[in-house]
Each structure stands twice: as structure tokens, then as C-alpha cells.
Amino acid sequence: MQVLYFAWVRERIGLAKETLDTQAGTVMELVDELRAREDRYAAAFEDLAALRVAVDQDLVDFDAALNGAREVAFFPPMTGG
Amino acid sequence: MRILVQEQPFDYGAEASDFAAGRHDMGAIVTFTGVVRDVDGGLNAMEIEHYPGMTEKALEKIASEAMERWSLGDALVIHRHGRLEKGEQIMMVATAARHRKDAFEAAEFLMDYLKSRAPFWKKEHTGESAGWVAARDADETALDRW
């Protein structure tokens, strides 16, 4: 699975993209897995209210299922326009 | 319907003229453009990051919804990314409808939605620092009226 990070999430983790081998069944399980990896992940995922998530390029909630997802992206609330 | 996500500048006047050309069935064309504005402390540049792939998909979804809801004849969304100087145009939307109320409302809907549902993030570079622009609660509540 490809995991993408944007804006300050990308800066905090120090990566724009990585490939993960995960058994996580939901976004929340994936977040917990990432949090346990290293401090920089724990810091980036500290406050989920400040984050948004997309699965296969659709915005979803953190309790969304990952069944067969190819791409998960984490980012702050969007500021377009 | 036309969606453009690009780094290079666009010609607002030319885009508006092209959009309006040949529309004898549409009585109302509304266009809006967003411009990089200066901030306290002086803005050196605005950097816009986006999520290639999802950006286009999200904009198409928003524009399709507007087309359907207001029976638009056409809709245009252009949004830039990369590094922009103050005064530069960031984005534009245009809507064509039979009557002005639909054209205005659809343009506002497009703006409200692309502000908080299209994956763009702005970073302001001022004198000595750079910071990500925080989303405003008002932008989120603006969606409630639709």
C-alpha cells in the first residue's frame, strides 16, 4: 500500500510517500501502527482532529475500512481557493 | 465542463472570453478569480501544494454537482499550484446559466467547496519565516448552507 503525506504532515514525518506492508483493516489501525513506529509519526498523528485522510483519493473518516486500498493519504484540512 | 490544474499562469480575460463565446442559450456568465494577497509582515511568496490525481478528481466531482444542481450550460475551474508571487492569480471559476441567480449561486458553491474539499494547501513565505495557512472554521461552516 502506498501511504502519502502532504503539507505539514509531510514535513513532520520527513517523507512524501512510502510503501507499507500492513495488515491494518481500518484507517485507525493504520494510524496506530504508524504512531508506534517512531516519534516523528507519533508527533504527526498526535491530534487527529487536525488531520484529514483519503483512501484511494476519496475523503473518508478515520474509522473507514481499508479493504484492498492501494493508496492512503494523510494531510491537514485543505486550504484551496 | 473544464477543469485545469496547472503550475503556469493563466490569462483571466482570455479564459473568460473563451468561456462566454458562442453561448446564445445562456443569459448569465459569472466569473471569479482569487489573487495572492499581501499579509502583515510582508508576503514574499505563496506556495501551493496539491495532491495530483485526487485534486482533479475532487474538482470534477464538485463541478459536476454544480452543473447538475443549477442546470448549468457550462462550468470552468482553473487552479494553480507551485510558487506564486503576491498579486498573481491563483485560481478562477466560471459558470454559465440561463439566469444570473443560478450562475452566481453555482459559482459560490464551487468556491466554497473547492476551498475545503479540494486537496490544496497554502504556505505563506514572509520575511524570515514560512507557515502553512490554517483552515478557518468559517470555511467549513460555509458548506452548511448548501
Side-chain angles (χ1 to χ4, degrees), chain B residues 10-135:
Chain B
F10 58 87
D11 183 335
Y12 177 60
E15 293 292 348
S17 296
D18 281 356
F19 183 78
R23 304 221 138 263
H24 306 302
D25 51 339
M26 295 291 134
I29 309 282
V30 164
T31 61
F32 170 87
T33 188
V35 176
V36 179
R37 70 163 181 273
D38 207 355
V39 296
D40 292 341
L43 186 80
N44 291 331
M46 168 86 84
E47 197 184 319
I48 300 177
E49 183 170 330
H50 81 119
Y51 181 172
M54 180 174 168
T55 309
E56 291 79 0
K57 202 171 146 183
L59 291 176
E60 270 163 30
K61 190 173 160 198
I62 296 164
S64 299
E65 201 180 328
M67 292 281 296
E68 197 176 319
R69 200 156 154 187
W70 284 277
S71 304
L72 300 180
D74 202 0
L76 166 72
V77 178
I78 304 177
H79 204 302
R80 294 178 63 195
H81 57 89
R83 191 181 167 91
L84 283 78
E85 308 292 323
K86 59 188 162 199
E88 278 193 74
Q89 288 160 356
I90 305 174
M91 50 79 58
M92 76 174 280
V93 300
T95 54
R98 290 176 64 80
H99 304 288
R100 73 170 187 272
K101 187 166 178 286
D102 286 340
F104 272 119
E105 273 187 20
E108 283 208 85
F109 169 89
L110 283 174
M111 286 310 305
D112 282 348
Y113 266 83
L114 75 81
K115 253 191 135 47
S116 40
R117 289 293 181 272
F120 290 101
W121 301 275
K122 294 194 184 104
K123 190 176 197 178
E124 289 172 343
H125 294 262
T126 52
E128 287 144 21
S129 62
W132 292 98
V133 175

